Amino acid sequence: MQQPVTAPPVPERVRTLAATAVPTHVSLAGTTEPAWSARGGVDRAGRPVLLVLPGDPLHGMRDEPVVTVDLTASRSLGGVELSRGLLKVQGWVQAVPERELRETAIAIADRCPDEALFEVLEHRDGPRLLRVDVGQVIYLTGPESGVLDAEEYLDAAPDPLAAEAERMVHHVNTAHRDRLSAALGALLSEPAGDVWLWELDRFGATVRSGVADPILIRLPWPAPVGDTASLERALHCLLCHR
């Protein structure tokens, strides 16, 4: 008997995390140099984009060095910033072509609100935008870890409902945690305690009980949902569970 799908496929899950992630560190392969801090975002194709300032080790590059870029996706719960997942993207650094600079700058602006992005477009000798031609992606998401090759990663797409799902997560955690706790308590037949909506997607919801030493509880939908209205109804049914 075929088991129902209760969570996104791993490549989709990783691409969804990448779409909300920010670069934190970058390191050069084949050297003993320590990793250094990075800033930037991820473009719509899933490639890390680095905002590189004059003086940065990569600013004057002329070839295509191999690097590892750490991407971190996080969520704020009660004022505490918590990691949703760590991605280590390994690949070759390339300059973003001039004709794609504006589009790329716009794509990462939400994750990298830096005035230097404007300088990239206006000054040839100033900050640069470099992107990583993906070779493979190592992912660490809670209890899950593994490796995706470039084809698996780049051929996948983020959850099409991800943006609306994030809006709903924020709304529930801001205004309806009492209802979420009551619903989870009814499902578990015991008090749920301090709970937060942790993940929300077209296959189900993940509730986090506790912050410092959490338990993650996956609650799949009866069937995957295909649009925002259906996701809102599914979430409403969960919150109204008695």
Side-chain angles (χ1 to χ4, degrees):
M1 179 178 177
Q2 186 175 3
Q3 296 297 314
V5 178
T6 60
V10 169
E12 178 181 313
R13 162 84 172 143
V14 173
R15 278 295 308 274
T16 302
L17 284 173
T20 64
V22 293
T24 56
H25 293 87
V26 59
S27 58
L28 278 170
T31 73
T32 58
E33 294 183 25
W36 63 90
S37 297
R39 69 184 77 187
V42 176
D43 68 14
R44 293 185 176 88
R47 297 168 296 196
V49 177
L50 303 175
L51 175 61
V52 176
L53 305 181
D56 185 286
L58 293 175
H59 187 269
M61 67 151 209
R62 291 294 178 264
D63 52 3
E64 295 185 356
V66 177
V67 299
T68 297
V69 176
D70 291 350
L71 299 174
T72 299
S74 62
R75 189 180 301 292
S76 180
L77 299 183
V80 179
E81 202 73 16
L82 300 168
S83 174
R84 297 169 60 199
L86 170 66
L87 311 178
K88 288 184 170 288
V89 182
Q90 299 173 342
W92 298 264
V93 175
Q94 303 171 334
V96 174
E98 188 171 351
R99 65 182 181 279
E100 299 176 27
L101 281 176
R102 183 173 297 276
E103 178 184 356
T104 303
I106 292 172
I108 70 168
D110 284 346
R111 303 294 167 187
C112 183
D114 195 309
E115 291 184 2
L117 284 176
F118 295 102
E119 297 180 40
V120 169
L121 304 176
E122 297 171 358
H123 304 290
R124 295 182 179 275
D125 298 327
R128 303 179 67 192
L129 283 183
L130 308 177
R131 69 187 180 202
V132 179
D133 183 13
V134 177
Q136 67 174 16
V137 178
I138 301 169
Y139 62 90
L140 303 139
T141 58
E144 299 178 338
S145 62
V147 180
L148 297 177
D149 63 29
E151 185 175 4
E152 292 176 299
Y153 175 76
L154 296 172
D155 284 353
D159 183 342
L161 304 180
E164 290 302 313
E166 286 300 301
R167 178 185 60 79
M168 295 178 209
V169 167
H170 181 266
H171 178 68
V172 169
N173 286 339
T174 301
H176 299 300
R177 286 182 57 221
D178 54 341
R179 293 175 61 180
L180 180 63
S181 180
L184 188 62
L187 287 169
L188 298 177
S189 299
E190 60 182 44
D194 188 26
V195 300
W196 305 79
L197 188 54
W198 183 241
E199 302 287 356
L200 182 65
D201 54 65
R202 57 201 178 100
F203 295 97
T206 300
V207 176
R208 180 177 178 128
S209 178
V211 173
D213 188 20
I215 297 173
L216 298 180
I217 302 166
R218 182 66 179 177
L219 304 171
W221 310 134
V225 300
D227 54 53
T228 300
S230 298
L231 183 61
E232 288 179 333
R233 284 195 296 271
L235 182 58
H236 178 74
C237 289
L238 169 60
L239 294 176
C240 293
H241 185 86
R242 293 289 188 269

